[in-house]
């Protein structure tokens, strides 16, 4: 009796993994990318806030001050990091 129960658990776990794998295969690259972007909404929000801050500082100062350069540089670095990790995550799916 215990062997029968164990084999049922093993079979159902195997079927569940197959269903998950088939679902992953059916997803398009665009849907995977959107899913990953939504998972990282905080990072996207931080990039947007930094970009807006850079633009507003530039409009206030009317030249590339140190503050504008620092905020712009951090924005570019975060955007590069975000795109690199997004690319690797999409490849892994």
């Amino acid at each position: 009796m215990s062997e029968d129960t164990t084999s049922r658990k093993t079979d159902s776990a195997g079927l569940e993994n197959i269903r998950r794998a088939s679902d992953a295969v059916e997803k398009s690259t665009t849907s995977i990318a959107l899913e990953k972007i939504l998972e990282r909404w905080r990072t996207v929000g931080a990039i947007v806030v930094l970009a807006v801050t850079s633009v507003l500082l530039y409009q206030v100062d009317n030249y590339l001050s140190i503050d504008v350069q620092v905020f712009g540089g951090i924005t570019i670095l975060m955007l590069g990091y975000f795109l690199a990790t997004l690319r690797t995550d999409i490849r892994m799916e």
Side-chain angles (χ1 to χ4, degrees):
M1 187 87 167
S2 65
E3 291 177 23
D4 187 35
T5 308
T6 305
S7 67
R8 283 188 205 162
K9 288 180 183 177
T10 305
D11 289 341
S12 66
L15 293 175
E16 188 175 317
N17 290 337
I18 290 171
R19 279 189 219 111
R20 285 184 191 159
S22 67
D23 289 344
V25 172
E26 294 173 7
K27 290 182 180 178
S28 67
T29 305
T30 307
S31 65
I32 293 172
L34 287 174
E35 182 181 306
K36 295 299 179 184
I37 290 171
L38 290 175
E39 286 178 6
R40 298 175 177 170
W41 64 271
R42 288 185 208 106
T43 306
V44 173
I47 292 169
V48 169
V49 167
L50 284 169
V52 168
T53 304
S54 300
V55 170
L56 291 176
L57 281 172
Y58 180 74
Q59 288 179 351
V60 167
D61 294 340
N62 288 328
Y63 71 99
L64 287 175
S65 65
I66 295 292
D67 295 333
V68 174
Q69 293 175 20
V70 168
F71 276 96
I74 293 171
T75 304
I76 291 170
L77 288 174
M78 282 190 71
L79 183 62
Y81 170 77
F82 175 76
L83 293 175
T85 56
L86 181 65
R87 182 178 174 207
T88 57
D89 282 350
I90 290 172
R91 279 187 178 176
M92 290 175 68
E93 291 285 327

